[in-house]
Amino acid sequence: MKYNVVHRGDEISVRTKDRFHELAVRYGMTLDEQCPDIVVSIGGDGTMLQAFHQYVDRLQSTSFVGIHTGHLGFYADWNPDEVESLVRHMAEDPDALSRTVKYPLVDICITTTRGKEHHVALNEFTLKGVEGTLVAELRINDQRFEMFRGDGICISTPSGSTAYNRSLNGAILHPSLEAIQIAEMASINNRVYRTLGSSIVLPKHHHCDIIPKPGHTILLTLDHLSVQLSDLISIRSTVAEQKVSFARFRPFPFWNRVRDAFIGDIVE
Ligand code: NAP
């Protein structure tokens, strides 16, 4: 099996990476930075976002697995003490890569005065005004839905629903749902301006266009990446055709991860 490691660079992640490489040699795995079958992310969920974007052009043939070197992550659910067990699963189980879970992504088509570009995000993309309030029209399936005024708009994937979306009081979605969620950031609501005020979930065959007021500079974030655009015309978002594959060498149900990350021990 061909593998590569992406790590956070802190002391414990570097140590875990070195140990992983040692064991990989011992178990006959091949390091391949260009075309890995599997990418091991060592760090946190943020490290998995970096690994995902590094290999975003190979989603058809690369799976991901995460080791957390801090707190339990949503994408990083192995701990450093389990590295040998993980390497053994990877090297010795011939069906290892057929047992993956596939999570939906959000596809965005950015139209600027320079043309169109497509990108996918694992967690979410957000739009914010740089000089102040974001003013943008929201259209759903080509019908005008609302005029948004506020700090920004966040459109997340189901697996990203536990990240930024959760801080915006969006719902947590199970990643088996092929959907995207639109959440508002501090919308202005009064007698003059009105937005829905709650987050909404769109199914796979729907799309949402965001058309910012012309002449404003917009901050676009895509997971951990960001760019300022002064010539943005619109952004269309849909559930992406591609999915991301996570190798599952053992069960760890999503709702258990939600409970362990956000609730912890239950006191009777
Ligand atoms: P960061 O600001 O250094 O870390 C953001 C936090 O979000 C980290 O604790 C990270 O976990 C956690 N996280 C990332 N993906 C998650 C997921 N799917 N479910 C639950 N928690 C998740 O930024 P970063 O590490 O570069 O990550 C970028 C992400 O930060 C964005 O995609 C966005 O979701 C999130 N973010 C959240 C807010 C907010 O909640 N107000 C604001 C900006 C950005 P680890 O510690 O395990 O890496």
Side-chain angles (χ1 to χ4, degrees):
M1 183 184 290
K2 293 178 292 169
Y3 78 97
N4 192 24
V5 174
V6 173
H7 64 91
R8 187 165 51 193
D10 58 299
E11 201 186 322
I12 171 156
S13 301
V14 170
R15 237 186 298 126
T16 308
K17 178 257 307 176
D18 292 342
R19 172 100 180 111
F20 190 96
H21 285 310
E22 251 173 61
L23 288 161
V25 170
R26 195 187 312 158
Y27 282 87
M29 289 172 55
T30 312
L31 178 63
D32 186 335
E33 290 179 17
Q34 300 302 320
C35 304
D37 302 313
I38 189 159
V39 171
V40 184
S41 157
I42 302 178
D45 285 332
T47 319
M48 183 62 84
L49 296 174
Q50 287 175 25
F52 170 82
H53 284 278
Q54 193 174 326
Y55 289 98
V56 73
D57 296 330
R58 288 188 46 85
L59 294 182
Q60 297 272 33
S61 36
T62 297
S63 333
F64 297 84
V65 67
I67 302 175
H68 63 88
T69 50
H71 56 86
L72 169 73
F74 278 85
Y75 302 120
D77 50 19
W78 289 77
N79 76 55
D81 298 342
E82 299 172 308
V83 171
E84 180 150 10
S85 159
L86 176 60
V87 176
R88 215 177 317 117
H89 273 100
M90 288 166 72
E92 292 181 347
D93 179 353
D95 296 327
L97 290 183
S98 59
R99 277 196 305 274
T100 57
V101 288
K102 293 191 191 309
Y103 285 178
L105 302 168
V106 58
D107 176 278
I108 64 170
C109 176
I110 307 169
T111 305
T112 62
T113 51
R114 290 161 288 137
K116 285 183 192 292
E117 268 180 39
H118 273 273
H119 293 279
V120 287
L122 175 56
N123 269 353
E124 78 285 292
F125 81 90
T126 69
L127 281 187
K128 295 175 190 172
V130 171
E131 291 103 3
T133 303
L134 171 74
V135 182
E137 182 185 330
L138 241 86
R139 289 188 195 163
I140 296 179
N141 300 338
D142 304 315
Q143 304 290 315
R144 195 165 209 234
F145 186 72
E146 67 184 18
M147 231 9 239
F148 178 89
R149 283 179 178 77
D151 283 3
I153 297 169
C154 171
I155 302 202
S156 59
T157 64
S159 62
S161 66
T162 50
Y164 206 158
N165 168 75
R166 181 171 173 271
S167 306
L168 300 169
N169 282 325
I172 294 184
L173 300 191
H174 192 277
S176 61
L177 296 168
E178 294 188 294
I180 52 175
Q181 180 165 189
I182 307 172
E184 299 181 353
M185 294 175 197
S187 57
I188 301 174
N189 269 287
N190 53 35
R191 289 166 65 99
V192 184
Y193 303 130
R194 179 111 27 254
T195 63
L196 183 66
S198 64
S199 77
I200 59 176
V201 177
L202 300 188
K204 191 169 183 187
H205 55 289
H206 288 195
H207 60 267
C208 168
D209 292 301
I210 304 175
I211 303 152
K213 198 170 169 192
H216 289 216
T217 305
I218 301 294
L219 176 71
L220 168 69
T221 72
L222 193 78
D223 296 334
H224 59 299
L225 307 166
S226 63
V227 65
Q228 287 194 14
L229 297 168
S230 47
D231 58 353
L232 179 63
I233 298 171
S234 66
I235 293 201
R236 172 165 291 193
S237 50
T238 50
V239 176
E241 285 304 323
Q242 307 127 284
K243 289 187 170 184
V244 57
S245 301
F246 290 103
R248 275 284 169 268
F249 300 110
R250 60 174 182 201
F252 193 173
F254 178 73
W255 296 119
N256 291 11
R257 267 178 282 157
V258 172
R259 183 199 57 212
D260 292 355
F262 298 131
I263 300 173
D265 294 335
I266 298 169
V267 179
E268 295 298 334

